[in-house]
C-alpha cells in the first residue's frame, strides 16, 4: 500500500480545527516537538511542519476504529480520512478517502488517487502531502451550512513547496527493479535496494554519474526533475529550505563542487551519487540525507550514456 505522510499543515480560515492521529505505527511531532496531547490544535494562521502524521490504511482503521480524525471546534463537525481502494477503480490504486463520523463515504468526487497498491496490497512507497484548511468558494465563513469536508484540502507537498526547498529524489534503477525494491526497502523496514539519487532545488535536479571520459565532469543537471529515460522515480524527501539564492546555488555547484567530482572518480561503494547528495546538502545548509531512510541502504550504479543529463558548465 501507499503510505501517505502529512508533512505540512496550514490553516487559512478563521476557524480552529483539531487533528487526531489514527496510525498506531507512527509517533507524531509538530515543528520538531513530540505531540504532547491527543490531538493537534490548528488555530487560524497555523503553518507548521509535521512528522509521523499519516493517513492510516482503511484496514488498520477498521481495527482501531479511528482513522485520521479532523474536527472543527465551534460546530463539533468531524470527518475521518483513510487510505483504501475505490470500488470503481480498475487500476488497483490507493485513494485518500473522506468518511463521516460513522464511517459513511463523504465527498467521493474529492477522493484522491495516490498511487498503485504495491505488491498486491503490501507495503510500498510513500507520498508526502500538505494539508490546508481553506474556505470553500461555495461556503463562505458565515454560511450556516458549513461543511468540514469542503474546507479540508490535501495536496502534493512537492507542488506546495517554496522554490528554495531542497529535495532528495530517489529513483529505482529500472522499472524491473521497482517490485524487488519495494520488497527490500519500504516504510516498514529497509535492507538493500538498487537506487539512484539526486538533489532538486529551484526547479533543477543535480546528480553525480560515471562518465565515459574519466576527466569529464560527473555532475549533471536535469531540467526535468523526477523524470529520467532509464531510472524510475520513486519518492522525494524534503531536506528543508536553503538560504542561498538561485544564482548562489548555481555558483556553488558549478564553481566549487563540480571540479571535485570528475566522472572517473565514481566508485560504487565509496563515491557514488548518494555521497554527492550528502556533500551538496551540507553545502546548501539543509538537513543531511537521513541515515535511516532508503538512502542509507542503496546499492547504486549510475553511468552517463547517450541519455545523460546536461553536464554542468
Amino acid at each position: 500500500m501507499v503510505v501517505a505522510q502529512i508533512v505540512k499543515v496550514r490553516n487559512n480560515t478563521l476557524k480552529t480545527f483539531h487533528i487526531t492521529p489514527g496510525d498506531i505505527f507512527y509517533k507524531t511531532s509538530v515543528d520538531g516537538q513530540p505531540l504532547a496531547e491527543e490531538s493537534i490544535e490548528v488555530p487560524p494562521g497555523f503553518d507548521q511542519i509535521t512528522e509521523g502524521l499519516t493517513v492510516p490504511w482503511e484496514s488498520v482503521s477498521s481495527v482501531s476504529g479511528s482513522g485520521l480524525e479532523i474536527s472543527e471546534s465551534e460546530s463539533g463537525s468531524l470527518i475521518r480520512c483513510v487510505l483504501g481502494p475505490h470500488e470503481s477503480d480498475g487500476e488497483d490504486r490507493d485513494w485518500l478517502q473522506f468518511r463521516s463520523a460513522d464511517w459513511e463515504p463523504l465527498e467521493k468526487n474529492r477522493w484522491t488517487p495516490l498511487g498503485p497498491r504495491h505488491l498486491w496490497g503490501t507495503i510500498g512507497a510513500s507520498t508526502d502531502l500538505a494539508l490546508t484548511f481553506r474556505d470553500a468558494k461555495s461556503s463562505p465563513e458565515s454560511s450556516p451550512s458549513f461543511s468540514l469536508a469542503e474546507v479540508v484540502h490535501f495536496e502534493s507537498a512537492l507542488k506546495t513547496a517554496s522554490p528554495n526547498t531542497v529535495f532528495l529524489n530517489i529513483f529505482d534503477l529500472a522499472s524491473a527493479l521497482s517490485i524487488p525494491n519495494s520488497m527490500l526497502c519500504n516504510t516498514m523496514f529497509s535492507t538493500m535496494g538498487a537506487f539512484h539519487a539526486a538533489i532538486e532545488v529551484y526547479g533543477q535536479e543535480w546528480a553525480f554519474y560515471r562518465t565515459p571520459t574519466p576527466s569529464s565532469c560527473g555532475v549533471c543537471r536535469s531540467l526535468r526533475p523526477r523524470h529520467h529515460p532509464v531510472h524510475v522515480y520513486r519518492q522525494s524527501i524534503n531536506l528543508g529550505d536553503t538560504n542561498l539564492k538561485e544564482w548562489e546555488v548555481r555558483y556553488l555547484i558549478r564553481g566549487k563542487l563540480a571540479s571535485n567530482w570528475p566522472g572517473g572518480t565514481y566508485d560504487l561503494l565509496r563515491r557514488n551519487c548518494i555521497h554527492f547528495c550528502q556533500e551538496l546538502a551540507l553545502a546548501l545548509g539543509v538537513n543531511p540525507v537521513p541515515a535511516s531512510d532508503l538512502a542509507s541502504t542503496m546499492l547504486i550504479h549510475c553511468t552517463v550514456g547517450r541519455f545523460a543529463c546536461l553536464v554542468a558548465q
Side-chain angles (χ1 to χ4, degrees):
M1 288 184 178
V2 174
V3 175
Q5 304 186 80
I6 301 171
V7 298
K8 196 164 186 77
V9 177
R10 299 186 181 96
N11 184 3
N12 296 332
T13 76
L14 296 178
K15 296 180 179 294
T16 297
F17 304 90
H18 286 86
I19 303 172
T20 304
D23 198 321
I24 60 175
F25 296 108
Y26 294 87
K27 293 184 179 180
T28 304
S29 64
V30 178
D31 199 23
Q33 299 298 317
L35 188 62
E37 305 294 334
E38 289 187 0
S39 64
I40 303 170
E41 184 176 7
V42 186
F46 187 93
D47 188 349
Q48 298 287 348
I49 294 174
T50 57
E51 296 180 8
L53 182 61
T54 67
V55 182
W57 302 321
E58 185 180 26
S59 55
V60 174
S61 300
S62 62
V63 175
S64 63
S66 59
L68 178 78
E69 294 183 357
I70 300 176
S71 59
E72 194 270 319
S73 299
E74 184 177 343
S75 66
S77 301
L78 183 146
I79 61 173
R80 305 180 192 273
C81 301
V82 294
L83 286 186
H86 195 303
E87 68 273 10
S88 62
D89 180 25
E91 299 182 34
D92 196 27
R93 294 175 294 180
D94 271 322
W95 291 66
L96 195 158
Q97 307 177 6
F98 294 107
R99 301 293 184 91
S100 66
D102 55 0
W103 292 99
E104 291 298 317
L106 289 176
E107 302 281 344
K108 276 189 152 184
N109 61 315
R110 295 185 56 234
W111 288 13
T112 305
L114 297 183
R117 309 188 77 230
H118 295 274
L119 302 176
W120 303 279
T122 60
I123 311 301
S126 64
T127 182
D128 289 345
L129 301 172
L131 168 57
T132 303
F133 297 95
R134 60 173 180 265
D135 297 330
K137 294 181 180 179
S138 60
S139 300
E141 198 71 41
S142 59
S143 173
S145 58
F146 168 78
S147 172
L148 178 56
E150 291 182 351
V151 302
V152 174
H153 298 269
F154 288 97
E155 302 164 284
S156 167
L158 295 175
K159 295 180 180 179
T160 61
S162 58
N164 63 324
T165 300
V166 179
F167 290 99
L168 175 72
N169 292 338
I170 299 175
F171 300 77
D172 295 318
L173 283 190
S175 58
L177 293 171
S178 295
I179 289 180
N181 281 346
S182 293
M183 295 176 65
L184 295 169
C185 282
N186 50 61
T187 54
M188 298 299 289
F189 62 89
S190 296
T191 54
M192 181 69 72
F195 302 95
H196 166 60
I199 289 286
E200 177 188 347
V201 61
Y202 286 115
Q204 296 183 342
E205 186 180 80
W206 303 86
F208 177 56
Y209 297 84
R210 177 185 290 119
T211 56
T213 303
S215 59
S216 297
C217 178
V219 178
C220 301
R221 172 174 60 101
S222 172
L223 295 177
R224 198 178 178 209
R226 304 184 296 281
H227 293 82
H228 196 279
V230 178
H231 307 318
V232 180
Y233 173 71
R234 183 178 184 81
Q235 71 179 97
S236 295
I237 300 172
N238 189 328
L239 300 181
D241 295 343
T242 180
N243 291 325
L244 299 182
K245 297 180 174 61
E246 185 173 0
W247 71 266
E248 291 177 309
V249 172
R250 291 198 302 268
Y251 175 74
L252 167 70
I253 298 173
R254 294 176 172 178
K256 294 185 176 181
L257 296 185
S259 60
N260 297 326
W261 293 86
T265 65
Y266 184 97
D267 182 86
L268 182 62
L269 298 178
R270 294 181 293 273
R271 191 175 174 83
N272 55 44
C273 53
I274 193 61
H275 295 109
F276 171 75
C277 290
Q278 289 171 332
E279 181 169 323
L280 180 53
L282 178 64
L284 292 172
V286 296
N287 296 326
V289 172
S292 61
D293 220 298
L294 287 172
S296 66
T297 57
M298 289 183 180
L299 171 61
I300 313 173
H301 180 72
C302 309
T303 303
V304 168
R306 64 189 182 93
F307 295 115
C309 302
L310 299 176
V311 176
Q313 300 176 353

